Amino acid sequence: MTQDTSGTTTPMGFGRMHRKEDARFIRGRGTYVDDVRLPGMLHGAILRSPHAHARILSVDASAAEAYPGVRAVITGATLETLNLAWMPTLSADVQAVLATDKVRFQGQEVAFVVAEDPYTARDAVELIDVGYEPLEPVVDARRALDADAPVIRDDLEGRTGNHIFDWEAGDRAQTDAIFERAEVTVAQDMLYPRVHPAPLETCGAVADFDKVTGKLTVWCPTQAPHAHRTLYALVAGLPEHKIRVISPDIGGGFGGKVGIYPGYVCAIVGSIVTGRPVKWMEDRSENLMSTAFARDYHMRGEIAATRDGRILALRVKVVADHGAFNGTAQPTKFPAGFFGVFTGSYDIEAAHCEVTGVYTNKAPGGVAYACSFRITEAVYLVERMIDVLACELDADPAELRMRNLIRPERFPYTSPTGWEYDSGDYPRALRLALDMAGYDKLRAEQAERRRGDGPQLGIGISFFTEAVGAGPRRHMDILGLGMADGAELRVHPTGKAVLRVSCQSQGQGHETTFAQIVAAELGIPPDDVEVVHGDTDQTPFGLGTYGSRSTPVSGAATAIVARKVRERARLVAAAMLEASPQDLEWSVSETGGRWSVQGSAGHGRSIQEIAMAAHSNLELPEGVEGHLDAVTVYNPPNLTYPFGAYVCVVEVDPRTGQVKVRRFVAVDDCGVRINPMIVEGQIHGGLADGVGMALMQLMAFDEDGNHLGASFMDYLLPTALECPSWELGETVTPSPHHPIGAKGVGESATVGSPAAVVNAVLDALRPYGVRHADMPLTPANVWSALRGSPLRTDLAIT
Amino acid sequence: MQVPARFEYERAQSVSHALALLDRHGPESRVIAGGHSLLPMMKLRLARPEVLIDINDLAELSFLGVEGDELVVGALVRHAQLLADPTVGRFFPIFHDAERVIADPVVRNRGTVGGSLCQADPSEDLSAAFAAVRATAVIQGPDGEREVPIREFHRGPYETAVEPGELLTRLRVPLRPGAGSAYEKVERRVGDWPVAAAGAQLRLDGGVIAEAGIGLTAVGAEHFAAPGAEEYLTGRAPGEEAFAEAGRIAAEDCNPQADQRGPVAYKRHLAGELVRRVLTRAAGRAAGRAGDRQAGE
Ligand SMILES: Cc1cc2nc3c(=O)[nH]c(=O)nc-3n(C[C@H](O)[C@H](O)[C@H](O)COP(=O)(O)OP(=O)(O)OC[C@H]3O[C@@H](n4cnc5c(N)ncnc54)[C@H](O)[C@@H]3O)c2cc1C
C-alpha cells in the first residue's frame, strides 16, 4: 500500500488514516454520558462540604425533602443502614461515599438529592442544613507527620497519625557507600505539585436499576468498565451478571476516570431507592475539587558523581500527599506506582528511594493525568537533578546526559531497582533532538542575549524512559484483578469483522488503531473492522485504558486473536485447496490477505473467500468446528519501555517573570507506529499538558484548606497561544516482546515534557544564580525566584 | 452543570422601558448586558437577582464614534466592536492595546464596555484604560441624565456611582490631538485576568509633558489611577529617567493584595515596570512613531 501522508486514504494495515470515530465527533453525534436520556429519568445533585476538616454534628434534610419535585434525599445515615456509607478504594483503604462522622476535604460529598430535574435538585441541595464543628486541617504535607498534627483518619481503628505507608526500592547501603566517597554530591528539594487532569467532560453517571429483572445498568465515563462492574458486585453485593457497565464516548479521562466516585454510588442507590433511572453530572468546580488529582510529590533528590560528570548514585526521599483517603489507582504491590524507575534513562551503579505516603485534608486520588503510574514524577526528578548537577559542575546539560545514558548494547537493561528495560537506542534519539533544535546555534544566541538585560533565552532538555503496558499478572493486579486483557474477534461470512476489546478509548482513537491491527494481520481494510468496547455485556474482561496500556496489552491481544483467526483460516483454506496446511503461505497484497500454495501464488484463496467457506457446507478438516472466530487473553511478559528526547526553548523576561515557549522539539520512540497521525496527536496533547503543568496549572490550598484552583478562572489550562508549533521527530526501536513491536505512547509527552520546560526556564535564569524553582513557573514565581525566594506553589501566596 | 437560582426575565425595549422595569422590580432586579460577568456569578450563586432586565436590544446604547471633540462609547458597545474600530485605534491606541488582552474572542463578542465598568471588578482592564484618558460617564435615571467623571465613578470593589434604578448609558472621552497612549498587561495566560496592568496617555507640548494620564488595574490603585505619578510628570521633559521615576511613584502609591496571581512585592514591582513601559510607548506614539508595539521596550 502506498504511503499517504494526508491520512485521507486507508492503508491495509498500519499507516496514516483518518480516525474512524471522528465522523461522529466532528458532527456532534457522539454519545457522552450526559447525552443518555431514559424515560422517567430523575436527576441528582450532591451537597458538598465547605470545610476541609470538620465534625458533622447534625444533618437536617427535612426542608429539602419537602421541596416540590424532590423524590429522595440520601445522607450518610441513609447509606449506613445499607452498609454503603464507606466504599473500598483502589489502594486498600476506604473512602466515605457520603460523610457520616467528619468531612475530610473541602468539596467532600455529604448528601445527595434526587429530583425531577437538575435545577430542582440543585435548589434543594441548598436547603439541607448541616451542623459542622470545624477542626484544624492538615494542609501542608510536610507537616502531616508532626506529632501535634490533627489525626484525619480517626475512623480507622487505632490510627494515631497521618502516616499511610513507607515504601522503598534499591540498595540503601550500596548507595550510601557511594555517596560517602563521591567527589561531587548535589541535593535539591522539589515539589511536583498537585495538578488535575481537568478533562473537557466532567464525571457523571446514569444508573438504572430494574426491579423486575434485578438488572443494574450504569452508564458512566469509566476508563475501566470491567473493573467497575466487579467492584460494584463486591461492594454492593449485587450479582455480577446482573450488572452492566456501559462506558459511552468519553470526553477525556487521563486517569481521572479510573476510580469509582461517590457520585456513581449515589446515583445507583438513588435508582434503587426511587425505582427510576437517576442521572448525576458533576459541574466543573466539583470536578476540580473532588475527583482524582495527580502528583503531589514532595521530593528530595541527591546525586553522587565524579568531577568529570559520571553519575554514580541517586538517592531520593519523597513525602507523597495522598489526600484524605488513599485512593490512588495502581497495581497493588506498588503503593508509589512505578516511581521505582527513577533512575530514568541513565546507567547508574546504585540507587535508593524511600516514599512515605501521608494523609492531608485534600481530595483523594493521586494517580491521574497521564502519569504512567508516577513515572512522571520520577522522570521530573531525575531530569531536574541532572540539570542541578550540570549547574554544579558547570557542565553542558546535553553532554552530561549523553555521557550517562544507557548505551544501546546494554539492552535488555536491568536497572539498579530491578526494572528490565526491553529495548532502546538513547544516544541516537538525543542526537536527533539536538540536531533538530540546532543546539549549538541556540547556545550561541543564548550567550549573545546574556550580554544584555532583555529577554533571556533558556534551553531545556529532558530525556525520559517510561515503563508502560501493565502488566505481567504475576506482579500486577488491581484489587486482586490481574492486569491481563481479553480480545474476541468474529469474522462474518463476507469477511467483515467485529473486534471486541476490554480497554476503553477516552479520545485515543482505539476504533481506528485496533481496526488497523486486525487489518494488518488479516489483510482486510480497517473500515471492514468494527471495534466494540466500553460495554461489559459486549466485551471480554480486561482492566481498561490507563498507564498507556491499551496498545501494549489490548493491542497485543488483538494481534494475537487475529493471528488465531488467520491460522484457522489456513486450515479452512487447505480444505478448500485440497492441500496440506503446512504447504500454504500467507501474503498480503494491495487486494488483501491470502493463503496460497507455496510457490504457486495463483493457487490460493482470499481471506473473504475463506470466511465464506468457513460458514458454508464445505467439508472441514478435523479439529475445525467452523467459522473463523477466536478468543484470547494476553498476559504481557514484561512492560514496554518507550522513550524520548525533548528540547524546549523559552524566552524569559527577567523584568516581569513572563515565560514564552518559543520552540519545542520532541523525538519519541514508541516502537512500531500503527497510525503515525494518531501517535502525533497523542504527543501534541501531551506536550500541551506539559506546558500547562510547567507554567500555569495551579492548585494550591490556603491555611484553612480551601481549594484555590476550583474553577477555570483559577486553574489555567494552556491554549494554542501558549504552545509553539511542535517539532516532532522519531526513532523506531521495536519492543522485542510485543507481538507487533509497539510500546504505547499515550502518556509519553505528558511524562517527558514538564521537565524540559522547567529546565529551559531555569537555564535562562542560570546567570542570576537560580538553581531551582517549583512548578508552575508563573510570572510571579519566576520573578520571586530571581529574587532568591521562589514560591511554595502548594500553599496560598501571602 | 452549574445553574443559577430561580429568576424572572424581562427584555427592555428602550432606555425608558429599562428604567421603568428597574423601578417596578426594585433593588432585587439587575440589568444584564453581555452577561459575561453577571452570569458566572449567578451560576456560582454568588449573585441571586430575582429579575434580570435584558438591555441587549437597546440600539441607542450601541453608538460608537466621534461627536464634536469627543469620542462617545455607548454602554452596550461590545469589546469586539471597540477593538475593530479604526477611529478608536487612531485616537486611542490604548483601547486597542487593552482590548487585545481582555479575555478571548468569545467573551469579547458579547461583553460590553458598560458591563465592564459597572461590574467594577478591581481587575477590570477597561476601568484603568478609561481612567487614563479621563473619560466622563453618563448615567441616566428616572430624573434624567447626570455626568460623573470616571475617577469618581468607581467607589470601591464592585461599587459604582450608578444607583439602583439607574443605567450607565455612555462614556465620553475628550480627543487630545497629538496625544499618544498605550496599555500593557502581565497575565498568567492569554485571556486571564491581569496580574497587573497599566495604561497611559501623554500629551506633549513644546518638548514637555503637558498632560499625563495613568491608569492601573489589579493593584489596588484608588479609582484605577496614579495621580502622584501624573503630577510628577506634568511639565517635565519625557525620557527614560522621568518614566522610571513615575513608575516608582505609581508603585509606591498603589495597594496590591496578594493572591494566587502573585505576592504584594511582585505586583507592586509590576505596577512600576508597566507604568514605565506604557509611558515610554505612549511618548513614542505621541511623537509620531505610532503603532510600534515594541517601541521603548
Ligand atoms: C472568561 C472571561 C475572561 C475575562 N477576562 C477579562 C480580562 O482579562 N480583563 C477584563 O477586564 N475583563 C475580563 N472579563 C470580564 C469581561 O470583560 C467583562 O466583565 C464583561 O464583558 C462585562 O460586560 P458584560 O456586558 O458581559 O456585563 P454583564 O455581565 O452583563 O454585567 C455586569 C454588571 O454590570 C451591570 N451592568 C451592565 N450594563 C450596565 C449598564 N449599562 N448600566 C448599569 N449597569 C450595567 C450588570 O447589572 C452587572 O451587575 C472576562 C470575562 C470572562 C467570562
Side-chain angles (χ1 to χ4, degrees), chain A residues 123 126 655-656 717 797, chain B residues 45 48 189 260 266 269:
Chain A
D123 290 345
E126 296 191 333
R655 286 169 172 273
T656 61
L717 302 183
I797 295 176
Chain B
R45 302 201 171 197
R48 295 166 172 263
R189 187 202 64 191
Q260 290 312 89
Y266 173 59
H269 161 81

Side-chain angles (χ1 to χ4, degrees), chain B residues 30-31 33-38 79 111-112 124-125 168 185 192-193:
Chain B
R30 284 283 274 279
V31 163
H36 270 301
S37 290
L38 187 51
H79 291 298
T112 65
E124 204 78 51
D125 286 296
L168 172 68
K185 158 171 166 176
D192 185 25
W193 292 80

Side-chain angles (χ1 to χ4, degrees), chain A residues 422-736:
Chain A
D422 58 352
S423 65
D425 186 341
Y426 294 175
R428 178 170 65 139
L430 180 55
R431 260 193 309 274
L432 177 58
L434 295 173
D435 286 349
M436 285 173 64
Y439 187 68
D440 296 338
K441 255 178 94 177
L442 287 170
R443 285 285 175 211
E445 182 189 341
Q446 179 181 54
E448 185 61 41
R449 282 182 185 241
R450 280 185 177 165
R451 282 192 271 278
D453 65 351
Q456 297 292 308
L457 198 71
I459 306 151
I461 301 168
S462 154
F463 198 106
F464 70 90
T465 299
E466 279 211 274
V468 304
R473 70 181 338 150
R474 198 157 55 85
H475 305 296
M476 293 175 192
D477 66 87
I478 290 185
L479 290 183
L481 302 170
M483 301 184 78
D485 285 0
E488 292 175 14
L489 184 58
R490 186 188 299 172
V491 183
H492 300 316
T494 56
K496 316 288 184 195
V498 178
L499 174 75
R500 296 167 191 280
V501 284
S502 59
C503 58
Q504 169 60 10
S505 173
Q506 309 122 47
Q508 296 93 336
H510 289 178
E511 288 166 47
T512 307
T513 298
F514 285 80
Q516 287 186 269
I517 297 174
V518 173
E521 298 294 339
L522 292 188
I524 61 176
D527 285 333
D528 286 359
V529 185
E530 188 76 5
V531 177
V532 176
H533 54 167
D535 181 341
T536 55
D537 271 8
Q538 300 285 333
T539 57
F541 191 88
L543 266 257
T545 294
Y546 42 86
S548 298
R549 66 186 297 280
S550 291
T551 300
V553 187
S554 280
T558 298
I560 286 169
V561 80
R563 285 173 193 175
K564 282 190 173 182
V565 165
R566 196 171 69 203
E567 280 311 301
R568 191 157 300 174
R570 179 207 283 258
L571 300 179
V572 177
M576 293 169 80
L577 297 166
E578 294 177 351
S580 153
Q582 301 88 278
D583 294 340
L584 298 190
E585 66 182 359
W586 174 252
S587 64
V588 179
S589 71
E590 290 206 7
T591 54
R594 208 174 161 78
W595 280 115
S596 4
V597 178
Q598 268 171 35
S600 58
H603 195 45
R605 290 290 183 273
S606 73
I607 186 78
Q608 289 85 0
E609 289 168 329
I610 300 169
M612 185 60 85
H615 291 81
S616 73
N617 56 5
L618 173 78
E619 188 83 24
L620 290 170
E622 198 139 326
V624 184
E625 295 164 2
H627 306 179
L628 296 178
D629 310 348
V631 178
T632 196
V633 176
Y634 182 73
N635 177 30
N638 186 9
L639 301 173
T640 55
Y641 291 76
F643 58 93
Y646 291 174
V647 181
C648 177
V649 184
V650 300
E651 283 175 28
V652 181
D653 183 341
R655 286 169 172 273
T656 61
Q658 285 168 296
V659 174
K660 181 176 169 42
V661 180
R662 195 214 276 181
R663 289 179 62 200
F664 202 109
V665 173
V667 172
D668 271 275
D669 190 324
C670 56
V672 171
R673 294 186 175 202
I674 297 157
N675 184 329
M677 183 194 76
I678 288 181
V679 168
E680 288 160 13
Q682 294 288 297
I683 294 168
H684 283 189
L687 296 176
D689 273 342
V691 168
M693 285 181 273
L695 299 183
M696 62 192 76
Q697 288 173 211
L698 191 60
M699 202 156 127
F701 292 78
D702 71 11
E703 57 183 357
D704 296 324
N706 291 311
H707 192 302
L708 301 177
S711 84
F712 279 164
M713 266 187 19
D714 305 302
Y715 191 74
L716 301 178
L717 302 183
T719 74
L721 292 166
E722 280 76 41
C723 297
S725 181
W726 312 115
E727 300 169 57
L728 304 190
E730 67 176 270
T731 60
V732 176
T733 316
S735 168

Side-chain angles (χ1 to χ4, degrees), chain A residues 191-214:
Chain A
L191 166 68
Y192 203 132
R194 185 172 271 243
V195 288
H196 196 280
L200 205 54
E201 179 204 33
T202 58
C203 297
V206 174
D208 183 14
F209 181 71
D210 185 325
K211 282 198 164 129
V212 176
T213 60

